[in-house]
């Protein structure tokens, strides 16, 4: 400990920085014990991001980059084994119903230790890229933020029920580009029902919800998920892990002290983490073990020495 179950590198992600090996070395330098490498899955031609279009990427190029990532990740996993417990995975992008078959093929073609279940699009439009694209998705939802929230959490539910991801990524990412990132979903009855449904399903199959510090790095007052959602999942007996969703060496462990304080404030006492091992709970990933540590143990780690926990 500490650890991160969600990371990216500029070598294999157009909107990140630094090589994958530099990311690994930075994690070791910050005394991390577990790092999951989770580059984005390749996407279809129609789903390229603006910077990928500018770089003249194609669906085939993205797939080739992803295959090279997998080879490099496995190499680093073995090379740095004495110093860092590296998990090799991917972050999936559930965009539309057909995403399921594509993701299943990736899980079949490549050996992974885990995957992060994420939703970045609504109506096939990225909702976390910039304000203009968020507004475009909002318009398709009829101009209603409530309807856009409902559409987002319904799409997330489709992803959850189809894939049962071992870790669910940035659960309420839809907050990022909304004009009020501190919005209370609990005050919007129909949206809150969808959220509670999704959380109950994650808890039912033993999924892990990441506390993602990227929201803090991007200026939000609370991580993903926010306090009201975190408390709801906690009441369901849900499990939490921690992730920095880093996109370069300077973001490894970013805002983890604030994340730890948040976890304590909402009443979390235990953090779940994954590492390589034989005692698996998910038969899809037979070489991965689920472990639990107390929040107080994290606090005692040198990484968190200056994090004031009372």
């Amino acid at each position: 400990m500490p650890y991160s179950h969600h990371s990216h590198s500029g070598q294999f992600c157009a909107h990140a920085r630094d090589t994958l090996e530099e990311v690994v070395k930075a994690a070791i330098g910050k005394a991390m014990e577990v790092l999951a490498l989770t580059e984005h899955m390749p996407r279809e031609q129609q789903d390229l991001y603006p910077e990928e279009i500018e770089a003249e990427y194609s669906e085939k190029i993205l797939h080739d980059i992803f295959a090279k990532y997998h080879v490099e990740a496995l190499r680093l996993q073995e090379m740095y084994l004495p110093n860092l417990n590296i998990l090799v995975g991917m972050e999936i992008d559930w965009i539309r119903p057909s995403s399921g078959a594509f993701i299943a093929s990736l899980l079949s073609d490549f050996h992974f230790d885990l995957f992060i279940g994420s939703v970045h699009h609504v109506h096939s439009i990225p909702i976390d890229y910039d304000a203009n694209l968020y507004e475009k998705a909002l318009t398709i939802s009829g101009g209603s933020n409530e309807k856009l929230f409902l559409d987002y959490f319904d799409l997330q539910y489709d992803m959850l029920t189809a894939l049962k991801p071992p870790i669910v990524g940035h659960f309420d990412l839809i907050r990022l580009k909304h004009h009020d990132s501190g919005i209370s979903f609990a005050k919007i009855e129909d949206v809150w029902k969808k959220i509670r449904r999704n959380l109950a399903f994650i808890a039912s199959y033993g999924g892990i919800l990441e506390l993602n510090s990227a929201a803090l790095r991007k200026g939000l007052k609370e991580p993903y998920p926010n306090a009201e959602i975190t408390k709801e999942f906690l009441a369901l007996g849900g499990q939490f892990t921690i992730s920095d969703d880093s996109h370069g060496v300077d973001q490894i462990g970013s805002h983890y002290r604030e994340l730890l304080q948040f976890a304590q404030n909402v009443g979390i006492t235990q953090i779940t983490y994954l590492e390589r091992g034989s005692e698996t709970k998910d038969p899809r990933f037979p070489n991965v073990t689920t472990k639990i540590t107390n929040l107080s143990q994290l606090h005692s780690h040198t990484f968190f020495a200056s994090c004031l926990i009372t």
Side-chain angles (χ1 to χ4, degrees), residues 70-88:
H70 188 253
V71 171
E72 176 67 354
L74 291 177
R75 182 184 76 86
L76 297 174
Q77 184 180 52
E78 294 306 316
M79 175 178 289
Y80 290 98
L81 182 60
N83 307 107
L84 181 65
N85 199 316
I86 296 175
L87 301 174
V88 177

Side-chain angles (χ1 to χ4, degrees), residues 22-95:
E22 287 169 340
V23 168
V24 168
K25 288 181 176 179
I28 294 171
K30 294 187 177 182
M32 280 203 171
E33 295 183 11
V34 176
L35 177 68
L37 307 177
T38 55
E39 298 289 12
H40 290 285
M41 62 174 269
R43 283 162 279 103
E44 298 178 77
Q45 188 72 33
Q46 61 185 311
D47 301 315
L48 296 182
Y49 282 100
E51 72 268 11
E52 294 168 338
I53 295 172
E54 183 178 348
E56 299 184 346
Y57 282 11
S58 65
E59 182 176 337
K60 181 181 183 306
I61 288 175
L62 284 183
H63 195 280
D64 290 346
I65 290 172
F66 188 74
K68 291 176 182 177
Y69 151 68
H70 188 253
V71 171
E72 176 67 354
L74 291 177
R75 182 184 76 86
L76 297 174
Q77 184 180 52
E78 294 306 316
M79 175 178 289
Y80 290 98
L81 182 60
N83 307 107
L84 181 65
N85 199 316
I86 296 175
L87 301 174
V88 177
M90 67 172 171
E91 181 180 15
I92 64 104
D93 288 313
W94 184 276
I95 301 175

